[in-house]
Amino acid sequence: MNKVRAIDLVERARSLGPLIAREADEIERTRRLTPVVVIALIENGLYRALLPQSLGGAEAPIEIFMQMLEEIAKADASTAWCLGQCSVCAMIAASLDHDTAQEIFNTAPGILAWGAIAHEARAVDGGYRVTARWDFASGSRQASWLGAHVRINGSDGTPRRNADGSAEVRTILFPASSATLHDVWQAIGLAGTGTDSYEVSDLFIPERFTAFRDVPSALRETGPLYRIGTGASFSLGFAAVSLGVARATLDAAIALARAKHPSLAAGAMRDNGAVQGLIGRTEGDWRAARAYLYATAQAMWRELSATGEFSAAHRSAVRLAATWTIHQSAKVVDTAYHMAGATAVFRKHPFERRFRDMHAIAQQIQARDSHYEDVGKAILAGN
């Protein structure tokens, strides 16, 4: 596969916007990314944004990845969500031996997806055996490989433990053809992600197709990107998706206000002082959220590049910025939706789907209110 340069990713994403926007209705209807969109993402190397350069990936700085997703999200949130999910999954390549990573990511289409941590795998000669079903596998319908995060039991069934006493958890990887996918994603928003369930029965996983996720000592790649880990990368990426959805929704409200005349007596919306003030305040809210998220990512990246350490303070700062940004983006979308009045409820206008998509994003783990509690606890402890 052709090597991708990080510097090109944002412009490539922006150039694909019109194509993805044209396909958005079909993506929504079929609850899958359309083949033409998947091919365009692959051909432009966007799935390889966070893949190591040693494998022909871009190994992009996290800010470039965020900007890429933000651009795609302006056209369609489901496409951006799948791209973000599968791009972060590809970071596991940094913990695999080179030949194994080559087999997974450099055999077309080279896309990996996974779901939430659940279940156990049993150690056997040469690897592990597992029978399980996992949920929330965004992007699984495009993936050639699937993964899962499982607790490891020894051959006698006894749970294996790390040195600190915690359960040993590994990420197992297997061809998508080895699993049965269950079409369960009937959701109010992000409908096109195909975030389905997948299941395997007595599947053997060779040792080399397992890895320790987000364990610095297990990394085979030295770049700062892989010190961030997948958890924080998901948070920053999906917060950027929320910004893109909010930007597109607010832009649609601005365009509507410029053109709409609610009644002959009321005059044009653009001349209404209340509408003008609301747009001004909402624009400020969006710009503030974006500035905060990117400033946090930039500060973290500078220090990480200098020290090689992704500290607890970095993790807390990213969690707070990402959570707050998603919530602020939802407020922007709500304001734009209500500003549009009755126009917003019709599927032919660019409000209704984005409203549903945004509120689906706000229900995900990256936007949990409990993150504020975690950060507040750390602040009060003086950390």
Side-chain angles (χ1 to χ4, degrees):
M1 288 189 171
N2 294 331
K3 187 171 182 179
V4 182
R5 297 192 309 163
I7 195 171
D8 297 331
L9 290 172
V10 179
E11 185 54 42
R12 290 186 184 193
R14 189 177 295 119
S15 70
L16 290 179
L19 167 66
I20 295 170
R22 288 194 299 271
E23 294 290 307
D25 286 344
E26 186 68 4
I27 290 171
E28 174 86 2
R29 186 186 69 81
T30 61
R31 296 178 295 113
R32 303 285 184 272
L33 302 193
T34 59
V36 68
V37 166
V38 175
I39 291 170
L41 295 174
I42 292 171
E43 289 181 345
N44 282 274
L46 301 194
Y47 280 112
R48 301 169 71 78
L50 303 185
L51 193 67
Q53 290 184 3
S54 63
L55 294 165
E59 198 171 326
I62 199 68
E63 182 181 2
I64 297 295
F65 171 62
M66 293 160 64
Q67 290 177 13
M68 178 188 80
L69 292 185
E70 190 179 348
E71 290 298 326
I72 297 295
K74 292 174 184 177
D76 180 59
S78 289
T79 302
W81 191 271
C82 287
L83 177 60
Q85 174 78 12
C86 295
S87 295
V88 174
C89 290
M91 293 174 68
I92 198 69
S95 299
L96 296 169
D97 73 75
H98 187 79
D99 289 344
T100 301
Q102 280 274 78
E103 182 175 344
I104 295 171
F105 295 104
N106 283 335
T107 301
I111 300 171
L112 169 68
W114 61 46
I117 182 171
H119 305 295
E120 296 83 27
R122 178 171 56 88
V124 296
D125 287 345
Y128 305 87
R129 285 201 173 273
V130 60
T131 297
R133 175 171 169 166
W134 300 273
D135 301 317
F136 299 108
S138 298
S140 57
R141 296 292 173 171
Q142 297 85 55
S144 47
W145 285 75
L146 296 173
H149 319 298
V150 295
R151 294 175 291 274
I152 300 298
N153 292 337
S155 57
D156 62 355
T158 302
R160 293 208 307 216
R161 301 287 177 181
N162 297 315
D164 62 1
S166 61
E168 179 181 319
V169 175
R170 286 179 180 257
T171 297
I172 59 174
L173 307 171
F174 46 90
S177 58
S178 299
T180 299
L181 268 65
H182 299 281
D183 185 351
V184 300
W185 190 244
Q186 305 284 345
I188 67 164
L190 297 177
T193 60
T195 303
D196 292 322
S197 299
Y198 57 112
E199 182 176 17
V200 299
S201 179
D202 195 31
L203 181 65
F204 174 68
I205 310 292
E207 180 76 34
R208 73 186 184 98
F209 290 103
T210 74
F212 291 105
R213 182 178 67 141
D214 297 342
V215 177
S217 61
L219 287 172
R220 297 171 182 262
E221 295 284 340
T222 60
L225 175 65
Y226 306 108
R227 295 282 170 176
I228 299 174
T230 60
S233 297
F234 277 131
S235 293
L236 290 169
F238 291 149
V241 170
S242 76
L243 285 172
V245 175
R247 180 71 263 169
T249 314
L250 182 55
D251 284 347
I254 292 169
L256 180 68
R258 286 172 175 161
K260 188 174 182 180
H261 290 68
S263 69
L264 292 176
M269 279 183 69
R270 67 176 180 271
D271 297 326
N272 185 301
V275 171
Q276 293 166 352
L278 190 59
I279 287 176
R281 286 189 294 272
T282 308
E283 180 71 29
D285 289 342
W286 183 84
R287 293 188 191 187
R290 188 178 192 275
Y292 173 37
L293 181 70
Y294 279 90
T296 300
Q298 290 161 359
M300 175 272 292
W301 184 263
R302 285 195 301 271
E303 188 171 341
L304 174 60
S305 298
T307 67
E309 181 186 5
F310 185 69
S311 65
H314 290 151
R315 195 175 308 279
S316 181
V318 165
R319 178 170 292 173
L320 178 59
T323 304
W324 189 82
T325 296
I326 293 172
H327 291 166
Q328 286 298 114
S329 294
K331 290 179 181 179
V332 169
V333 169
D334 287 353
T335 299
Y337 180 86
H338 289 299
M339 192 189 311
T343 299
V345 306
F346 292 98
R347 291 185 181 272
K348 67 179 181 179
H349 294 298
F351 296 98
E352 178 266 347
R353 181 169 60 236
R354 287 174 176 141
F355 179 86
R356 291 186 289 106
D357 287 341
M358 185 65 248
H359 283 278
I361 293 170
Q363 293 297 108
Q364 303 300 317
I365 189 172
Q366 289 78 22
R368 284 182 179 171
D369 281 343
S370 60
H371 295 327
Y372 293 127
E373 297 176 18
D374 294 338
V375 173
K377 182 179 179 180
I379 291 172
L380 292 171
N383 297 330

